[in-house]
Amino acid sequence: MIKNYVRKYEKYSSIISVLMIIVSLFLIFKPVKSLEFIVLIFGVILIANGLMRIVSYFNIDNEMRLMSLDLLEGIITILTGTLTLVYRQDLINVFPVILGIWIIAKNIVKLQFAINLSTIPNSGWGWLIVLSILTIILGIIIIINPFSTLIAITLLSGILLLITELCDLIESIYVLIKLK
């Protein structure tokens, strides 16, 4: 019984791995199209989620509806999804800048924390300062060169996905061979 379960699981896992390998190759060889497709899917998901919230609002008891924010959340989510679809190219262009600003802000806080730790002996604060400064520089590079950074991140994601899925596929095949 457990053998059948494992066999079924590994077959399913193999199919998913093959599909993910195809996605990873798309990310590697068509990074810009991949980003556009991801944003498109995200917008569609937001609209679908908004519609489900609105339907949910009208399907609950009147008593519960008094406290429900599903209608408002649904409308806002649909609007966000629609704006995502309409302005998807602008969203792709501005995302790296937002990411760079977030990285810089987060690491300025870490830099301050490292400086605060300097009063504690053997705290390793020097390494924290170096890493914070390096990461702040990375955030600045992302802001200065956003589109190339986004393509590089997409490419790297595709490569990492390809490697992990190939390993998963090899593992699944190995387990299926051993179970025979």
Side-chain angles (χ1 to χ4, degrees):
M1 180 159 171
I2 215 141
K3 236 181 180 183
N4 289 335
Y5 174 77
V6 172
R7 195 175 288 131
K8 187 176 181 181
Y9 173 80
E10 291 302 334
K11 285 180 184 177
Y12 174 75
S13 180
S14 297
I15 293 168
I16 296 298
S17 290
V18 169
L19 292 173
M20 293 307 286
I21 288 170
I22 293 168
V23 169
S24 71
L25 293 173
F26 192 64
L27 288 169
I28 292 168
F29 294 111
K30 298 281 188 185
V32 176
K33 290 290 181 194
S34 298
L35 291 171
E36 291 172 1
F37 184 71
I38 290 168
V39 172
L40 177 78
I41 294 298
F42 182 68
V44 169
I45 289 170
L46 284 174
I47 291 171
N49 188 358
L51 289 171
M52 287 189 303
R53 286 186 176 274
I54 290 172
V55 169
S56 169
Y57 176 79
F58 289 108
N59 284 332
I60 57 177
D61 298 330
N62 287 335
E63 225 173 80
M64 295 291 291
R65 198 175 297 150
L66 288 173
M67 301 304 288
S68 175
L69 295 175
D70 280 347
L71 181 63
L72 177 64
E73 289 176 359
I75 292 169
I76 290 172
T77 305
I78 289 172
L79 285 173
T80 304
T82 304
L83 290 173
T84 299
L85 293 177
V86 171
Y87 296 107
R88 70 176 169 263
Q89 192 59 47
D90 296 329
L91 188 62
I92 290 170
N93 292 336
V94 79
F95 176 74
V97 175
I98 294 169
L99 180 66
I101 291 169
W102 179 74
I103 288 171
I104 291 169
K106 182 178 175 187
N107 282 282
I108 288 173
V109 171
K110 286 185 178 184
L111 181 64
Q112 178 186 344
F113 180 70
I115 292 169
N116 292 349
L117 282 177
S118 67
T119 60
I120 300 172
N122 300 323
S123 62
W125 63 274
W127 286 107
L128 293 175
I129 287 178
V130 170
L131 291 173
S132 295
I133 291 171
L134 287 174
T135 311
I136 289 169
I137 292 169
L138 176 66
I140 293 169
I141 291 170
I142 290 172
I143 291 172
I144 292 172
N145 201 355
F147 193 69
S148 295
T149 303
L150 195 57
I151 290 175
I153 289 170
T154 305
L155 235 160
L156 183 61
S157 298
I159 291 168
L160 292 174
L161 181 62
L162 178 63
I163 292 168
T164 58
E165 292 305 321
L166 283 172
C167 290
D168 284 350
L169 183 60
I170 291 168
E171 175 192 332
S172 293
I173 292 170
Y174 177 77
V175 169
L176 286 170
I177 290 171
K178 287 296 181 181
L179 285 175
K180 284 188 176 180

